[in-house]
């Protein structure tokens, strides 16, 4: 075995041993709870939930409920929810966006994924067990141990999707326990008049300049799909808030950071029913919806709370209702007879929304140009202010939000800004507050994950930086995260490929040295809608990638208690302009300067890593009639931190990709900076997009997939010190 390889293997073995060692008292943390201490230690970020749990248990006993399941979503399966629907957050004090709670008469537990484990330890008091998984099977096993045979396990059927209900039913089947839906929400009963009031802000029409097509055209397209379907459904039920907002080109402010409003839609062959608080519709919105009355394009406005009753009546006829099981609750699903259901994971509206037309693509590109201006302003400001010690995480988050607000068509942030310095960056979804905000320092890494809502699009971008001298490990880890971002962004892949199939390209450079990250690699993104738009992305339940979809690409690396790295860009799926070559790739078109293949979306893309064959001969294009292969066009336009890039780890192809990307940034963002008369920012952009020398990659030809020498020495020293402690 080559010496660098066995050394790296030994280091990784020691690293694993160190990770398995029990924590030492000397390194006890004061920012997380310690329930084994006497008395138990709670950080100031934890909330005392004793009284709330006692009240809920009293209500449970009154309803003969032995275990009550509380999710983190709302009646529309939204990821981001209004404060009024934050039942799990109110009950536990935990503010993560994903989790499930089970409360029994004498126990309480929270299940959440790895993004939020440390956050949960900071926010939960000692009434709660933390279960480090989200598997319903795990929840079911816990319930079976905590609830005796004959017990009732209850939940609100309007807060659980069909699939989730079925999973719980299966987990408890034959156990002697009863899964019992209760339409009265028990947390709401306990919350009482302290629960925030319903939304009351205006619901408005999106100007035609910012829509891809009229709502009438969208309705016609969905009805055409209904007509062409082999089952010939008579209606489509829309439960997801984004579905109705997109279909009718309407927007609202019911959910923080997401311009949606509470609603349901039942679209039939001849009628349209919109269930919404009619009093909140603007005059223009009302006029738009009612312009086709009477007739098949007349939108009948009905009360939001009447959706279930109306659906029940409709289902009594000779009908077939088409719905998406991921966004329809069991409470609605249960009123439709099984033989009258047409079920898919996602509704036809959800799938249509995911594929942007040419106008929508241009709108999103334009939004990302202006968004890049705000981010560049922020990075320049940080360079000036951080060395003076005048910036903390919270003020930094406020400043980037303020810079975005100054950009044309901005409507606020697209999520709560993640501004994390040093060890806080190891929390993938950490957000600062006035109570918990660290000073930014030139001696620590800083992670900024922010986004904006614009009338023409939604943005989401993450940059990690260091203004001083990063450690060798930090520099190598950053470079490998960047390599993963590049490798996936420049990948060429067959049509109808699922994101999960190619996701590992973003992890490969990290996997090569035994590193990884615990969150997903990317998510869809909307046109002035949700920053996390399903069903696009790289997870197992996402749909295959199709030209016209936008997704984030965001590999990372997180070292608990030290630092975190994430590099996130938004990319458009486009047809790849390749030639059929002897190694089997199909496509068409020519190459751009420098050997980069031009995508139809306008971006430049290098050939896939490792597939280049110097003596490959071009063959006639598309002889087999295959559909064009696909690739990504990155639309985020902000350079990476040069201070953290170890060029010796990059291949020549990766450096060419970076240089081409930087040319694109200069061409698209430079003129906008000058138009806004931001000359200092323009000069900053020119400096930070200087092309990287290809000669710096000469060492890469001899490099192996091991840790760099300096990083290896640093990691080895740290591990040996830890083992000796």
């Amino acid at each position: 075995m080559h010496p660098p390889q066995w050394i790296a293997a030994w280091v990784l073995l020691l690293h694993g041993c160190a990770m398995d060692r029990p924590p030492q008292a000397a390194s006890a943390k004061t920012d997380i709870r310690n329930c084994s201490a006497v008395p138990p230690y709670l950080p100031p970020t934890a909330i005392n939930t004793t009284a709330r749990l006692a009240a809920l248990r009293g209500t449970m006993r009154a309803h003969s409920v032995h275990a009550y399941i509380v999710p983190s979503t709302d009646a529309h399966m939204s990821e981001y929810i209004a404060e009024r629907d934050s039942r799990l957050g109110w009950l536990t004090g935990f503010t993560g966006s994903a989790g499930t709670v089970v409360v029994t008469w004498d126990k309480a537990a929270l299940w959440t994924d790895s993004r939020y484990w440390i956050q949960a330890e900071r926010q939960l008091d000692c009434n709660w067990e933390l279960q480090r998984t989200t598997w319903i099977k795990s929840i079911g096993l816990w319930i079976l141990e905590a609830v005796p045979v004959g017990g009732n396990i209850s939940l609100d059927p309007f807060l659980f999707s069909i699939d989730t209900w079925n999973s719980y039913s299966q987990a408890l089947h034959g156990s002697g326990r009863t899964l019992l839906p209760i339409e009265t929400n028990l947390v709401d009963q306990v919350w009482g008049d302290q629960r925030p009031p319903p939304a009351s802000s205006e619901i408005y029409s999106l100007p035609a300049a910012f829509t891809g097509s009229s709502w009438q055209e969208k309705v016609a397209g969905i009805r055409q799909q209904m007509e062409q379907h082999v089952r010939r459904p008579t209606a489509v039920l829309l439960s997801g808030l984004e579905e109705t907002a997109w279909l009718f080109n309407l927007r609202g402010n019911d959910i923080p950071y997401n311009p949606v409003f509470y609603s349901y839609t039942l679209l039939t062959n001849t009628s349209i029913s919109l269930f919404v608080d009619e009093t909140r519709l603007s005059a223009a919105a009302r006029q738009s919806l009612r312009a086709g009355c009477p007739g098949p394009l007349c939108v009948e406005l009905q009360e939001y709370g009447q959706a279930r009753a109306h659906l029940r009546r409709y289902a009594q006829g000779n009908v077939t209702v088409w719905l998406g099981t991921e966004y329809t609750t069991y409470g609605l699903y249960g009123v439709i007879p099984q033989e009258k259901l047409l079920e898919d994971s996602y509704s036809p509206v959800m799938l249509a929304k995911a594929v942007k037309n040419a106008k929508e693509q241009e709108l999103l590109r334009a939004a990302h140009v202006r968004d890049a201006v705000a981010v560049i302003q922020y990075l320049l400001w940080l360079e000036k202010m951080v060395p003076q010690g005048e910036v903390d995480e919270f003020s930094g988050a406020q400043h980037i939000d303020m810079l975005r607000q100054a950009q044309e068509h901005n409507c606020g942030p697209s999520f709560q800004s993640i501004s994390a310095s040093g060890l806080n960056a190891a929390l993938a979804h950490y957000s600062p507050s006035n109570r918990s905000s660290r000073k930014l320092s030139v001696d620590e890494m800083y992670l900024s994950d922010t986004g904006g809502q614009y009338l023409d699009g939604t943005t989401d971008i993450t940059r990690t930086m260091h203004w001083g001298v990063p450690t060798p490990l930090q520099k190598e880890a950053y470079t490998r995260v960047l390599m993963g971002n590049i490798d996936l962004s420049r990948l060429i892949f067959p049509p109808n490929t699922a994101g999960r199939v190619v996701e590992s390209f973003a992890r490969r450079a990290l996997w090569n040295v035994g590193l990884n990250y615990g969150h997903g690699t990317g998510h869809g993104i909307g046109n002035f809608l949700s920053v996390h738009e399903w069903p696009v992305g790289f997870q197992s339940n996402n749909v295959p990638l199709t030209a016209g979809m936008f997704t984030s690409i965001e590999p990372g690396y997180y070292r608990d208690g030290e630092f975190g790295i994430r590099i996130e860009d938004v990319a458009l799926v486009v047809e790849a302009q390749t030639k059929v070559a002897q190694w089997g790739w199909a496509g068409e078109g020519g190459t751009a300067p420098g050997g980069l293949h031009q995508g139809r979306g306008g971006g430049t893309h290098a050939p896939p890593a490792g597939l280049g064959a110097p003596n490959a001969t071009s063959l006639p294009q598309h002889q087999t009639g295959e559909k064009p292969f696909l690739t990504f066009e990155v639309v985020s336009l902000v350079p990476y931190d040069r201070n953290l890039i170890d060029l010796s780890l990059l291949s020549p192809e990766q450096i060419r990709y970076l240089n081409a990307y930087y040319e694109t940034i200069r061409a698209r963002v430079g003129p906008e900076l000058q138009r806004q008369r931001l000359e200092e920012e323009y000069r900053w952009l020119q400096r930070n997009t200087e092309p990287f020398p290809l000669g710096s990659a000469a060492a890469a030809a001899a490099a192996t997939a091991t840790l760099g020498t300096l990083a290896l020495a640093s990691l080895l020293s740290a591990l040996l010190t830890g083992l000796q402690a």
Side-chain angles (χ1 to χ4, degrees), residues 503-699:
E503 191 255 9
S504 60
F505 280 85
R507 300 179 185 266
R508 182 174 58 180
L510 289 166
W511 283 357
N512 283 342
V513 292
L515 303 179
N516 203 2
Y517 52 93
H519 56 72
T521 293
H523 54 80
I525 195 162
N527 276 81
F528 189 36
L529 277 169
S530 174
V531 72
H532 289 171
E533 182 175 81
W534 287 80
V536 179
F538 299 95
Q539 299 186 44
S540 59
N541 56 349
N542 291 140
V543 297
L545 295 169
T546 302
M549 291 179 172
F550 282 82
T551 180
S552 70
I553 295 175
E554 48 182 304
Y557 173 67
Y558 308 91
R559 193 165 178 83
D560 185 18
E562 295 185 29
F563 62 86
I565 299 164
R566 186 162 61 254
I567 300 174
E568 176 185 19
D569 294 309
V570 172
L572 168 64
V573 181
V574 296
E575 292 182 2
Q577 299 297 295
T578 64
K579 292 183 179 180
V580 177
Q582 67 182 26
W583 55 89
W585 286 83
E588 64 179 345
T591 58
L596 297 171
H597 294 262
Q598 185 76 24
R600 285 189 180 171
T604 54
H605 311 278
L611 296 179
N615 58 350
T617 58
S618 295
L619 300 177
Q621 300 172 22
H622 292 307
Q623 282 190 328
T624 61
E626 294 180 359
K627 293 182 180 179
F629 275 41
L630 303 174
T631 187
F632 295 104
E633 173 199 339
V634 175
V635 298
S636 300
L637 299 168
V638 177
Y640 311 115
D641 188 355
R642 301 175 82 93
N643 188 38
L644 282 166
I645 299 175
D646 182 352
L647 288 176
S648 69
L649 294 175
L650 300 182
S651 69
E653 290 82 8
Q654 290 167 333
I655 292 179
R656 289 191 187 97
Y657 172 90
L658 270 181
N659 288 341
Y661 174 55
Y662 281 6
E663 286 180 15
T664 301
I665 293 176
R666 283 187 171 190
R668 296 184 183 176
V669 182
E672 181 65 19
L673 288 169
Q674 292 181 311
R675 188 187 72 81
Q676 296 188 28
R677 299 181 179 179
L678 298 171
E679 294 303 326
E680 187 177 9
E681 285 80 359
Y682 179 81
R683 292 191 296 273
W684 182 95
L685 178 66
Q686 297 303 307
R687 289 194 307 272
N688 284 275
T689 54
E690 284 289 332
F692 293 104
L694 275 172
S696 60

Side-chain angles (χ1 to χ4, degrees), residues 190-434:
V190 174
W191 206 346
D193 58 9
Q194 297 301 308
R195 187 183 178 206
S200 58
S201 59
E202 186 179 69
I203 300 168
Y204 57 94
S205 288
L206 197 59
F210 301 108
T211 64
S213 54
S214 70
W215 71 259
Q216 291 89 344
E217 291 171 324
K218 294 177 182 179
V219 166
I222 300 303
R223 281 176 169 164
Q224 184 178 25
Q225 290 190 51
M226 294 164 61
E227 184 73 20
Q228 294 173 348
H229 197 286
V230 66
R231 289 278 308 275
R232 300 291 291 272
T234 61
V236 174
L237 174 65
L238 306 180
S239 295
L241 299 183
E242 296 175 33
E243 296 178 299
T244 290
W246 177 84
L247 181 65
F248 295 115
N249 293 329
L250 298 176
R251 298 296 187 268
N253 295 292
D254 292 7
I255 304 234
Y257 312 112
N258 294 263
V260 295
F261 52 94
Y262 290 111
S263 57
Y264 295 97
T265 296
L266 186 66
L267 171 64
T268 78
N269 293 320
T270 57
S271 66
I272 310 168
S273 297
L274 171 59
F275 302 89
V276 68
D277 184 349
E278 182 180 352
T279 63
R280 297 173 52 204
L281 289 168
S282 69
R286 185 188 303 271
Q287 181 180 0
S288 171
L289 296 172
R290 302 289 293 170
C293 296
L297 290 175
C298 171
V299 179
E300 301 171 5
L301 301 175
Q302 305 203 34
E303 282 301 311
Y304 171 78
Q306 292 301 308
R308 187 189 189 197
H310 181 96
L311 183 62
R312 186 192 298 274
R313 289 193 298 273
Y314 178 79
Q316 292 174 358
N318 182 24
V319 300
T320 300
V321 180
W322 194 0
L323 54 78
T325 58
E326 291 281 344
Y327 282 82
T328 305
T329 65
Y330 182 74
L332 279 181
Y333 176 85
V335 305
I336 308 171
Q338 193 67 36
E339 67 275 11
K340 298 182 180 183
L341 281 167
L342 171 57
E343 302 177 44
D344 281 321
S345 294
Y346 303 100
S347 77
V349 170
M350 189 68 78
L351 296 175
K353 175 175 60 66
V355 181
K356 276 60 175 174
N357 63 27
K359 183 180 177 182
E360 290 169 325
Q361 293 174 27
E362 286 306 313
L363 288 169
L364 264 165
R365 286 191 186 98
H368 278 85
V369 170
R370 297 192 310 279
D371 195 70
V373 170
V375 177
I376 287 169
Q377 287 179 291
Y378 183 53
L379 297 181
L380 175 59
W381 179 79
L382 289 172
E383 282 187 8
K384 293 178 177 179
M385 304 303 293
V386 171
Q388 301 177 29
E390 297 183 6
V391 184
D392 61 27
E393 296 166 329
F394 188 67
S395 65
Q398 289 182 312
H399 193 72
I400 182 61
D401 290 346
M402 179 192 71
L403 291 170
R404 278 198 172 93
Q405 284 180 342
Q407 290 299 314
E408 188 178 16
H409 305 317
N410 183 266
C411 299
S414 56
F415 56 95
Q416 185 176 0
S417 293
I418 297 172
S419 173
S421 178
L423 58 86
N424 283 341
L427 307 177
H429 281 207
Y430 167 86
S431 292
S433 67
N434 273 325

Side-chain angles (χ1 to χ4, degrees), residues 144-162:
L144 293 181
E145 290 184 5
V147 177
V149 173
N152 292 323
I153 293 90
S154 290
L155 48 74
D156 182 341
F158 291 97
L159 296 181
F160 291 84
S161 70
I162 302 161

